[in-house]
Amino acid sequence: MTEEEKRKEKEYLKLEAQKARREEWAKIRSLGTGAKIQYFWDYYKIVLVLAVVLITVIYIIVNMVIGFRTHVLLYTSILNVNELDPDTGRLTSDFAEYAGGIKKREKIEFDTSIHLDPNSSGTSQAEVANTMKMTALLQTGILDTCLAPGETMQFLQEQGMFMSLDDLLDEDLKAEYQDSGYLYYAPEPLYDEETGALILPQTEGDGEETSGSLAAADRPQHIYAVRVDQSGVLLQYGIHVADEVWFSVIGSCDHTEMAMKLFDFLRGKTG
């Protein structure tokens, strides 16, 4: 086949392809809406599925890149929020302004999605999901601070979750809050000398303490939580947790300065 014949054949095939496309689009335009959808699904479902998969993959990658490039200044879990739609957006913006503002790639997070009940069996689907999320936040080191009702806070403190606030609180404030009963004291967590596992406080059926709990009397007492509901700040954002709300800092927190700014904000300190 000569070069001229090859050129003519290529041109013929091109024209035939264009003709086929015109006929196909004419056929599609003549169909009703439902028939058009069915036609596309019958003839292009593989392409559509691949397109959806591609878009999903791109979305995940973009969010991962954004996540890696975003620095979380403080992540706070507000446990057992009773309202379905608390105004965490306004809380975030107000606290960010109070803390001196944040930059484009910085973020402050208030998570009100977790509910923990120390007295429940923890076996329902919702309870398991809440426990798994809290565990994931702790294991990844994301979680910085926690706001919780008294009973839940005490339960988490007994799991060795919180750091001591002794050196983070002002002495005058400690004296004031001590008199008001706003400080939660507890002994240092006790760990097994051989395994390093946390020994949880337990009591026997007759009320007599076990050997692990008896050691608590000999361990130093530290401040692990401070009450913050008395200021009424949380209620301004429609956040109803309980009669008593306690502020604690996670033991692995790397943002203690920002955490204490949140404490000052929640107790209504200005300036």
Side-chain angles (χ1 to χ4, degrees), residues 24 27-28 31 34-49:
E24 185 175 7
K27 179 180 179 181
I28 293 172
L31 298 174
K36 286 180 181 177
I37 295 174
Q38 187 62 47
Y39 180 87
F40 272 108
W41 180 248
D42 289 341
Y43 290 93
Y44 297 102
K45 57 185 174 183
I46 295 179
V47 176
L48 292 174
V49 169

Side-chain angles (χ1 to χ4, degrees), residues 79-80 82 148-150 229 235 239-245:
L79 297 174
N80 301 6
N82 297 325
D229 60 278
L235 294 179
I239 298 177
H240 302 268
V241 178
D243 293 335
E244 294 186 6
V245 182

Side-chain angles (χ1 to χ4, degrees), residues 62-133:
V62 169
N63 278 274
M64 287 178 63
V65 171
I66 292 174
F68 285 133
R69 297 177 63 187
T70 300
H71 176 51
V72 178
L73 299 178
L74 192 73
Y75 194 109
T76 299
S77 178
I78 309 178
L79 297 174
N80 301 6
V81 174
N82 297 325
E83 298 298 310
L84 294 176
D85 190 25
D87 196 355
T88 53
R90 187 163 62 91
L91 170 60
T92 303
S93 60
D94 287 353
F95 173 59
E97 182 179 357
Y98 178 87
I102 59 177
K103 299 177 182 178
K104 184 177 180 180
R105 296 297 181 183
E106 295 177 335
K107 182 180 181 181
I108 293 172
E109 184 81 20
F110 289 97
D111 184 351
T112 60
S113 66
I114 301 178
H115 287 251
L116 296 177
D117 181 2
N119 298 314
S120 71
S121 62
T123 57
S124 71
Q125 185 175 0
E127 289 170 336
V128 171
N130 284 317
T131 301
M132 289 180 63
K133 181 170 183 179

Side-chain angles (χ1 to χ4, degrees), residues 197-238:
L198 178 70
I199 300 176
L200 300 177
Q202 297 175 344
T203 55
E204 297 179 351
D206 59 2
E208 183 180 351
E209 293 184 334
T210 63
S211 58
S213 295
L214 283 174
D218 301 325
R219 300 199 304 276
Q221 297 275 322
H222 297 290
I223 302 169
Y224 287 101
V226 189
R227 188 173 168 182
V228 293
D229 60 278
Q230 67 276 10
S231 69
V233 171
L234 286 174
L235 294 179
Q236 297 175 16
Y237 303 97

Side-chain angles (χ1 to χ4, degrees), residues 256-268:
T256 53
E257 183 177 351
M258 184 64 75
M260 297 315 293
K261 284 184 180 180
L262 175 60
F263 168 68
D264 287 337
F265 175 80
L266 293 173
R267 68 187 182 95

